[in-house]
Amino acid sequence: RSLRSAENYELETRHHSRLLFLRSEWSTRRIDELAGILSQSVVLVIECFRSSFPPNTHPAILHPNTKSVADFISYSSAIMTLMEESNNEPFQYAVTLHLYPAFRRLKSGNTREKVVEDMGCCWIALGSLVLDLFVPDAPLDPAAIQNCTTERKCRDQHLIEIQMNLHRTLEQLTTGNNHSDLLDYLKCISNGISQQLESAPSLPLRKNIARLDMFWAEVRQFHSHVLSGSKIQELVGLLTSGDKNAIAREEVLQQSMAGFYRRLATVYTDYPDLSAPLRLAILYIRMGMRLVAYSALQSSSISSHQVFSLVAFPSARSSANICKDAGTAGPIGVA
Protein backbone atom coordinates (compact mmCIF):
# COMPACT_ATOMS: atom_id res chain seq x y z
CA ARG A 1 0.00 0.00 0.00
CA SER A 2 1.17 3.51 -0.75
CA LEU A 3 1.22 6.41 1.69
CA ARG A 4 -1.77 7.93 -0.12
CA SER A 5 -3.98 5.11 1.15
CA ALA A 6 -2.63 5.24 4.69
CA GLU A 7 -5.77 6.92 6.02
CA ASN A 8 -8.08 4.36 4.44
CA TYR A 9 -5.83 1.56 5.63
CA GLU A 10 -5.99 2.92 9.17
CA LEU A 11 -9.79 2.99 9.04
CA GLU A 12 -9.93 -0.57 7.72
CA THR A 13 -7.53 -1.77 10.41
CA ARG A 14 -9.51 -0.06 13.14
CA HIS A 15 -12.73 -1.54 11.81
CA HIS A 16 -11.18 -5.01 11.62
CA SER A 17 -9.81 -4.77 15.16
CA ARG A 18 -13.24 -3.70 16.42
CA LEU A 19 -14.80 -6.72 14.75
CA LEU A 20 -12.21 -9.00 16.32
CA PHE A 21 -12.90 -7.45 19.70
CA LEU A 22 -16.64 -7.98 19.35
CA ARG A 23 -16.08 -11.55 18.20
CA SER A 24 -13.84 -12.26 21.17
CA GLU A 25 -16.53 -10.96 23.55
CA TRP A 26 -19.20 -13.14 21.94
CA SER A 27 -19.96 -15.65 24.69
CA THR A 28 -23.78 -15.53 25.05
CA ARG A 29 -25.79 -18.33 23.50
CA ARG A 30 -28.32 -17.38 20.86
CA ILE A 31 -31.21 -18.82 22.87
CA ASP A 32 -30.17 -16.70 25.88
CA GLU A 33 -30.09 -13.60 23.69
CA LEU A 34 -33.62 -14.39 22.49
CA ALA A 35 -34.73 -14.67 26.12
CA GLY A 36 -33.27 -11.24 26.85
CA ILE A 37 -34.96 -9.68 23.81
CA LEU A 38 -38.25 -11.32 24.77
CA SER A 39 -38.11 -9.84 28.27
CA GLN A 40 -37.41 -6.39 26.79
CA SER A 41 -40.38 -6.81 24.44
CA VAL A 42 -42.65 -7.73 27.34
CA VAL A 43 -41.48 -4.61 29.18
CA LEU A 44 -42.17 -2.53 26.05
CA VAL A 45 -45.81 -3.66 26.04
CA ILE A 46 -46.23 -3.23 29.80
CA GLU A 47 -44.83 0.29 29.56
CA CYS A 48 -47.95 1.30 27.61
CA PHE A 49 -50.01 0.55 30.74
CA ARG A 50 -47.72 2.29 33.23
CA SER A 51 -50.57 4.18 34.92
CA SER A 52 -52.48 0.96 35.72
CA PHE A 53 -49.79 -0.35 38.09
CA PRO A 54 -49.14 0.78 41.65
CA PRO A 55 -46.00 2.92 42.04
CA ASN A 56 -44.21 0.30 44.12
CA THR A 57 -44.91 -2.49 41.59
CA HIS A 58 -44.02 -0.91 38.30
CA PRO A 59 -40.22 -0.47 38.78
CA ALA A 60 -39.83 -4.17 39.57
CA ILE A 61 -41.41 -5.08 36.22
CA LEU A 62 -39.37 -2.63 34.17
CA HIS A 63 -35.95 -3.85 35.31
CA PRO A 64 -35.66 -7.52 34.38
CA ASN A 65 -32.27 -9.15 34.83
CA THR A 66 -32.58 -11.78 32.12
CA LYS A 67 -29.19 -12.93 30.85
CA SER A 68 -30.25 -16.51 30.18
CA VAL A 69 -33.27 -18.72 29.67
CA ALA A 70 -33.22 -19.62 33.36
CA ASP A 71 -33.38 -15.93 34.25
CA PHE A 72 -36.35 -15.45 31.93
CA ILE A 73 -38.17 -18.41 33.49
CA SER A 74 -37.77 -16.77 36.90
CA TYR A 75 -38.80 -13.41 35.45
CA SER A 76 -41.91 -14.87 33.79
CA SER A 77 -43.01 -16.43 37.09
CA ALA A 78 -42.55 -13.11 38.89
CA ILE A 79 -44.18 -11.03 36.20
CA MET A 80 -47.31 -13.16 36.19
CA THR A 81 -47.80 -12.28 39.84
CA LEU A 82 -46.91 -8.62 39.40
CA MET A 83 -49.21 -8.06 36.42
CA GLU A 84 -52.18 -9.14 38.50
CA GLU A 85 -51.89 -5.79 40.28
CA SER A 86 -52.87 -3.88 37.14
CA ASN A 87 -56.28 -2.22 37.36
CA ASN A 88 -56.79 -2.16 33.59
CA GLU A 89 -59.41 -4.85 32.94
CA PRO A 90 -58.86 -5.28 29.13
CA PHE A 91 -55.12 -5.59 29.73
CA GLN A 92 -55.67 -8.09 32.54
CA TYR A 93 -57.99 -10.18 30.35
CA ALA A 94 -55.55 -10.20 27.41
CA VAL A 95 -52.62 -11.13 29.65
CA THR A 96 -54.61 -13.98 31.21
CA LEU A 97 -55.71 -15.21 27.79
CA HIS A 98 -52.37 -15.07 25.97
CA LEU A 99 -49.29 -14.60 28.18
CA TYR A 100 -50.11 -16.76 31.18
CA PRO A 101 -50.56 -20.06 29.24
CA ALA A 102 -47.38 -19.42 27.23
CA PHE A 103 -45.27 -18.50 30.27
CA ARG A 104 -46.44 -21.57 32.16
CA ARG A 105 -44.94 -23.76 29.42
CA LEU A 106 -41.45 -22.64 30.35
CA LYS A 107 -39.79 -25.07 32.73
CA SER A 108 -36.22 -25.68 33.77
CA GLY A 109 -34.55 -28.89 32.68
CA ASN A 110 -36.21 -29.19 29.26
CA THR A 111 -34.24 -30.11 26.16
CA ARG A 112 -32.96 -27.35 23.90
CA GLU A 113 -35.61 -28.15 21.27
CA LYS A 114 -38.37 -27.91 23.88
CA VAL A 115 -37.01 -24.61 25.19
CA VAL A 116 -36.93 -23.16 21.67
CA GLU A 117 -40.51 -24.33 21.10
CA ASP A 118 -41.71 -22.78 24.36
CA MET A 119 -39.89 -19.53 23.61
CA GLY A 120 -41.61 -19.45 20.22
CA CYS A 121 -44.99 -19.86 21.90
CA CYS A 122 -44.16 -16.90 24.16
CA TRP A 123 -43.34 -14.72 21.13
CA ILE A 124 -46.61 -15.75 19.48
CA ALA A 125 -48.55 -14.99 22.66
CA LEU A 126 -46.96 -11.54 22.92
CA GLY A 127 -47.84 -10.70 19.31
CA SER A 128 -51.42 -11.92 19.79
CA LEU A 129 -51.65 -9.82 22.95
CA VAL A 130 -50.67 -6.67 21.06
CA LEU A 131 -53.16 -7.38 18.27
CA ASP A 132 -56.05 -8.05 20.63
CA LEU A 133 -55.37 -4.88 22.59
CA PHE A 134 -54.75 -2.63 19.58
CA VAL A 135 -57.26 -3.70 16.90
CA PRO A 136 -60.58 -1.95 17.71
CA ASP A 137 -64.08 -3.30 17.18
CA ALA A 138 -65.04 -0.14 15.27
CA PRO A 139 -62.80 2.00 13.03
CA LEU A 140 -61.33 4.91 14.94
CA ASP A 141 -58.35 7.22 14.79
CA PRO A 142 -56.53 7.75 18.12
CA ALA A 143 -54.74 10.76 16.61
CA ALA A 144 -58.10 12.42 15.91
CA ILE A 145 -59.20 11.81 19.51
CA GLN A 146 -55.97 13.29 20.88
CA ASN A 147 -56.15 16.28 18.51
CA CYS A 148 -59.74 16.91 19.58
CA THR A 149 -58.66 16.83 23.22
CA THR A 150 -55.83 19.26 22.51
CA GLU A 151 -58.14 21.60 20.65
CA ARG A 152 -60.62 21.57 23.56
CA LYS A 153 -57.83 22.42 26.02
CA CYS A 154 -56.75 25.33 23.81
CA ARG A 155 -60.30 26.69 23.83
CA ASP A 156 -60.49 26.26 27.61
CA GLN A 157 -57.25 28.15 28.07
CA HIS A 158 -58.42 30.95 25.79
CA LEU A 159 -61.68 31.21 27.76
CA ILE A 160 -59.79 31.36 31.07
CA GLU A 161 -57.57 34.15 29.72
CA ILE A 162 -60.66 36.16 28.78
CA GLN A 163 -62.07 35.65 32.27
CA MET A 164 -58.78 36.70 33.83
CA ASN A 165 -58.76 39.94 31.81
CA LEU A 166 -62.33 40.73 32.83
CA HIS A 167 -61.69 40.03 36.52
CA ARG A 168 -58.46 42.04 36.43
CA THR A 169 -60.29 45.02 34.93
CA LEU A 170 -63.06 44.71 37.52
CA GLU A 171 -60.50 44.49 40.33
CA GLN A 172 -58.75 47.64 39.10
CA LEU A 173 -62.03 49.56 38.94
CA THR A 174 -63.23 48.49 42.39
CA THR A 175 -60.05 48.26 44.49
CA GLY A 176 -57.24 49.55 42.27
CA ASN A 177 -55.34 46.27 42.59
CA ASN A 178 -54.10 44.04 39.78
CA HIS A 179 -54.42 40.75 41.64
CA SER A 180 -56.89 38.85 43.79
CA ASP A 181 -57.50 35.32 45.08
CA LEU A 182 -59.77 34.61 42.13
CA LEU A 183 -57.13 35.76 39.66
CA ASP A 184 -54.54 33.55 41.37
CA TYR A 185 -56.92 30.59 41.11
CA LEU A 186 -57.56 31.18 37.39
CA LYS A 187 -53.82 31.64 36.81
CA CYS A 188 -53.16 28.25 38.45
CA ILE A 189 -55.70 26.58 36.16
CA SER A 190 -54.20 28.27 33.10
CA ASN A 191 -50.69 27.11 34.03
CA GLY A 192 -51.92 23.52 34.44
CA ILE A 193 -53.50 23.58 30.98
CA SER A 194 -50.29 25.07 29.52
CA GLN A 195 -48.25 22.21 30.96
CA GLN A 196 -50.67 19.67 29.47
CA LEU A 197 -50.44 21.35 26.06
CA GLU A 198 -46.64 21.37 26.18
CA SER A 199 -46.55 17.60 26.84
CA ALA A 200 -49.19 16.81 24.20
CA PRO A 201 -47.73 14.86 21.26
CA SER A 202 -47.72 16.27 17.76
CA LEU A 203 -49.98 14.00 15.73
CA PRO A 204 -51.06 14.10 12.07
CA LEU A 205 -54.40 15.57 11.03
CA ARG A 206 -56.34 13.02 8.97
CA LYS A 207 -59.77 13.82 7.58
CA ASN A 208 -60.19 11.01 5.02
CA ILE A 209 -62.69 8.82 6.87
CA ALA A 210 -63.10 6.43 3.94
CA ARG A 211 -59.38 5.63 3.91
CA LEU A 212 -59.43 5.07 7.66
CA ASP A 213 -62.32 2.61 7.27
CA MET A 214 -60.42 0.81 4.51
CA PHE A 215 -57.30 0.57 6.68
CA TRP A 216 -59.09 -0.99 9.63
CA ALA A 217 -61.14 -3.26 7.36
CA GLU A 218 -57.94 -4.77 5.95
CA VAL A 219 -56.45 -5.12 9.42
CA ARG A 220 -59.53 -6.82 10.85
CA GLN A 221 -59.78 -9.16 7.86
CA PHE A 222 -56.14 -10.18 8.13
CA HIS A 223 -56.46 -10.58 11.89
CA SER A 224 -59.56 -12.76 11.71
CA HIS A 225 -58.68 -14.85 8.65
CA VAL A 226 -54.90 -15.25 8.90
CA LEU A 227 -53.81 -14.52 12.47
CA SER A 228 -56.84 -15.78 14.36
CA GLY A 229 -56.02 -17.50 17.62
CA SER A 230 -57.58 -20.80 16.60
CA LYS A 231 -55.62 -21.04 13.35
CA ILE A 232 -52.33 -20.10 14.98
CA GLN A 233 -52.81 -22.64 17.77
CA GLU A 234 -53.81 -25.30 15.26
CA LEU A 235 -50.63 -24.75 13.24
CA VAL A 236 -48.51 -24.76 16.41
CA GLY A 237 -50.11 -28.07 17.39
CA LEU A 238 -49.36 -29.57 13.99
CA LEU A 239 -45.75 -28.40 14.15
CA THR A 240 -45.17 -29.82 17.61
CA SER A 241 -46.81 -33.13 16.68
CA GLY A 242 -44.52 -33.58 13.67
CA ASP A 243 -47.10 -33.22 10.90
CA LYS A 244 -45.47 -33.49 7.48
CA ASN A 245 -47.40 -30.58 5.94
CA ALA A 246 -46.99 -28.24 8.90
CA ILE A 247 -43.63 -26.84 7.78
CA ALA A 248 -45.06 -25.91 4.37
CA ARG A 249 -48.08 -24.27 6.01
CA GLU A 250 -45.79 -22.32 8.30
CA GLU A 251 -43.84 -21.07 5.28
CA VAL A 252 -47.07 -19.93 3.61
CA LEU A 253 -48.07 -18.10 6.79
CA GLN A 254 -44.66 -16.42 6.95
CA GLN A 255 -45.08 -15.17 3.39
CA SER A 256 -48.58 -13.87 4.13
CA MET A 257 -47.38 -11.98 7.20
CA ALA A 258 -44.39 -10.58 5.30
CA GLY A 259 -46.68 -9.39 2.49
CA PHE A 260 -49.11 -7.67 4.85
CA TYR A 261 -46.18 -6.13 6.75
CA ARG A 262 -44.89 -4.60 3.50
CA ARG A 263 -48.38 -3.36 2.63
CA LEU A 264 -48.72 -1.57 5.95
CA ALA A 265 -45.28 0.02 5.50
CA THR A 266 -45.74 1.12 1.87
CA VAL A 267 -49.45 1.65 1.19
CA TYR A 268 -50.47 3.27 4.46
CA THR A 269 -47.55 5.62 4.95
CA ASP A 270 -49.95 8.27 6.31
CA TYR A 271 -50.82 6.00 9.25
CA PRO A 272 -47.42 5.44 10.92
CA ASP A 273 -48.84 5.68 14.43
CA LEU A 274 -51.40 2.96 13.66
CA SER A 275 -49.29 0.63 11.54
CA ALA A 276 -46.19 0.57 13.78
CA PRO A 277 -47.77 -1.46 16.64
CA LEU A 278 -49.39 -3.78 14.09
CA ARG A 279 -46.09 -4.39 12.31
CA LEU A 280 -44.40 -5.01 15.65
CA ALA A 281 -47.03 -7.63 16.54
CA ILE A 282 -46.56 -9.30 13.15
CA LEU A 283 -42.81 -9.49 13.74
CA TYR A 284 -43.40 -11.06 17.16
CA ILE A 285 -45.65 -13.74 15.66
CA ARG A 286 -43.25 -14.37 12.77
CA MET A 287 -40.41 -14.87 15.21
CA GLY A 288 -42.48 -17.24 17.32
CA MET A 289 -43.71 -19.34 14.41
CA ARG A 290 -40.21 -19.68 13.01
CA LEU A 291 -38.86 -20.80 16.40
CA VAL A 292 -41.58 -23.42 16.74
CA ALA A 293 -40.92 -24.62 13.18
CA TYR A 294 -37.17 -24.72 13.84
CA SER A 295 -37.75 -26.79 16.96
CA ALA A 296 -39.94 -29.19 14.98
CA LEU A 297 -37.25 -29.56 12.29
CA GLN A 298 -34.57 -30.20 14.89
CA SER A 299 -36.70 -32.79 16.66
CA SER A 300 -37.47 -34.59 13.41
CA SER A 301 -33.80 -34.60 12.38
CA ILE A 302 -32.82 -36.05 15.77
CA SER A 303 -35.47 -38.75 15.43
CA SER A 304 -34.29 -39.62 11.91
CA HIS A 305 -30.70 -39.87 13.07
CA GLN A 306 -31.72 -42.15 15.93
CA VAL A 307 -33.55 -44.46 13.50
CA PHE A 308 -30.42 -44.58 11.35
CA SER A 309 -28.37 -45.40 14.44
CA LEU A 310 -30.64 -48.30 15.36
CA VAL A 311 -30.36 -49.96 11.95
CA ALA A 312 -26.68 -49.15 11.36
CA PHE A 313 -24.31 -52.01 10.51
CA PRO A 314 -22.21 -53.30 12.10
CA SER A 315 -23.81 -53.37 15.54
CA ALA A 316 -20.76 -51.76 17.15
CA ARG A 317 -21.31 -48.69 15.00
CA SER A 318 -24.99 -48.66 15.95
CA SER A 319 -24.14 -48.73 19.67
CA ALA A 320 -21.61 -45.93 19.27
CA ASN A 321 -24.13 -43.72 17.48
CA ILE A 322 -26.84 -44.35 20.09
CA CYS A 323 -24.41 -43.53 22.92
CA LYS A 324 -23.43 -40.36 21.09
CA ASP A 325 -27.09 -39.32 20.72
CA ALA A 326 -27.69 -40.04 24.38
CA GLY A 327 -24.79 -37.81 25.32
CA THR A 328 -25.93 -34.85 23.17
CA ALA A 329 -29.71 -35.02 23.43
CA GLY A 330 -30.11 -36.28 27.00
CA PRO A 331 -32.38 -39.03 28.25
CA ILE A 332 -35.52 -37.27 27.01
CA GLY A 333 -34.15 -36.88 23.50
CA VAL A 334 -33.47 -40.61 23.13
CA ALA A 335 -36.70 -41.86 24.64
Side-chain angles (χ1 to χ4, degrees):
R1 291 177 181 267
S2 62
L3 292 176
R4 295 179 180 179
S5 60
E7 184 176 356
N8 293 333
Y9 180 72
E10 182 181 359
L11 292 175
E12 292 178 4
T13 305
R14 190 175 301 170
H15 179 67
H16 184 67
S17 62
R18 192 178 294 116
L19 289 177
L20 291 176
F21 174 76
L22 292 175
R23 189 173 300 175
S24 64
E25 294 293 327
W26 190 272
S27 59
T28 306
R29 298 185 306 165
R30 188 63 56 87
I31 188 66
D32 294 331
E33 290 181 342
L34 287 176
I37 297 174
L38 179 57
S39 64
Q40 295 174 9
S41 300
V42 173
V43 169
L44 179 64
V45 175
I46 295 176
E47 178 68 22
C48 300
F49 301 89
R50 175 195 293 262
S51 59
S52 67
F53 290 95
N56 60 338
T57 301
H58 190 255
I61 298 178
L62 286 187
H63 297 86
N65 186 20
T66 53
K67 299 180 180 179
S68 63
V69 175
D71 292 339
F72 182 78
I73 293 175
S74 302
Y75 173 69
S76 63
S77 300
I79 202 173
M80 285 191 293
T81 303
L82 292 174
M83 284 194 293
E84 293 178 355
E85 300 186 19
S86 172
N87 57 18
N88 189 301
E89 293 184 1
F91 176 69
Q92 275 278 13
Y93 176 78
V95 167
T96 305
L97 180 64
H98 296 289
L99 286 188
Y100 284 1
F103 283 172
R104 290 192 180 101
R105 295 172 59 107
L106 293 168
K107 296 180 181 179
S108 302
N110 288 336
T111 61
R112 185 178 186 277
E113 289 74 23
K114 181 61 177 175
V115 171
V116 172
E117 175 189 319
D118 295 339
M119 292 282 291
C121 292
C122 290
W123 281 104
I124 295 172
L126 185 60
S128 301
L129 171 74
V130 174
L131 288 177
D132 282 358
L133 290 174
F134 192 77
V135 178
D137 297 331
L140 55 85
D141 188 358
I145 298 175
Q146 181 62 45
N147 289 331
C148 182
T149 302
T150 303
E151 184 179 356
R152 178 184 58 81
K153 291 179 180 180
C154 290
R155 291 199 301 265
D156 292 344
Q157 187 180 36
H158 179 66
L159 180 61
I160 290 176
E161 290 177 354
I162 294 176
Q163 293 178 2
M164 290 176 61
N165 292 331
L166 291 175
H167 284 289
R168 187 178 295 108
T169 302
L170 179 62
E171 190 70 21
Q172 290 176 349
L173 292 175
T174 55
T175 64
N177 297 325
N178 292 325
H179 60 85
S180 65
D181 293 341
L182 181 58
L183 285 172
D184 294 339
Y185 174 73
L186 293 176
K187 183 64 175 178
C188 182
I189 296 178
S190 179
N191 292 336
I193 296 177
S194 299
Q195 292 178 0
Q196 295 177 6
L197 291 176
E198 290 177 358
S199 60
S202 178
L203 299 174
L205 295 174
R206 295 185 285 252
K207 299 182 179 180
N208 192 343
I209 305 301
R211 182 168 173 79
L212 178 68
D213 293 341
M214 183 174 62
F215 172 83
W216 283 121
E218 288 192 30
V219 171
R220 286 197 301 270
Q221 183 179 9
F222 187 80
H223 185 206
S224 59
H225 290 80
V226 180
L227 296 182
S228 64
S230 58
K231 291 185 178 180
I232 293 294
Q233 293 303 319
E234 178 188 0
L235 182 54
V236 170
L238 293 175
L239 286 169
T240 55
S241 63
D243 187 87
K244 297 181 180 179
N245 300 322
I247 298 296
R249 290 182 56 181
E250 188 270 341
E251 182 64 30
V252 172
L253 178 61
Q254 289 283 352
Q255 295 176 2
S256 299
M257 289 189 289
F260 191 69
Y261 180 95
R262 287 193 298 269
R263 180 169 180 81
L264 290 175
T266 57
V267 177
Y268 295 102
T269 55
D270 50 339
Y271 291 95
D273 53 325
L274 298 181
S275 64
L278 297 173
R279 286 183 287 157
L280 182 64
I282 290 174
L283 291 178
Y284 286 162
I285 297 177
R286 290 192 66 188
M287 168 70 81
M289 293 303 304
R290 186 47 52 95
L291 289 176
V292 175
Y294 173 80
S295 175
L297 285 173
Q298 292 295 108
S299 299
S300 62
S301 63
I302 291 175
S303 300
S304 301
H305 185 70
Q306 289 171 359
V307 171
F308 174 78
S309 300
L310 290 173
V311 299
F313 182 83
S315 58
R317 180 184 175 189
S318 175
S319 301
N321 289 335
I322 293 174
C323 292
K324 182 180 179 181
D325 292 339
T328 57
I332 299 178
V334 182

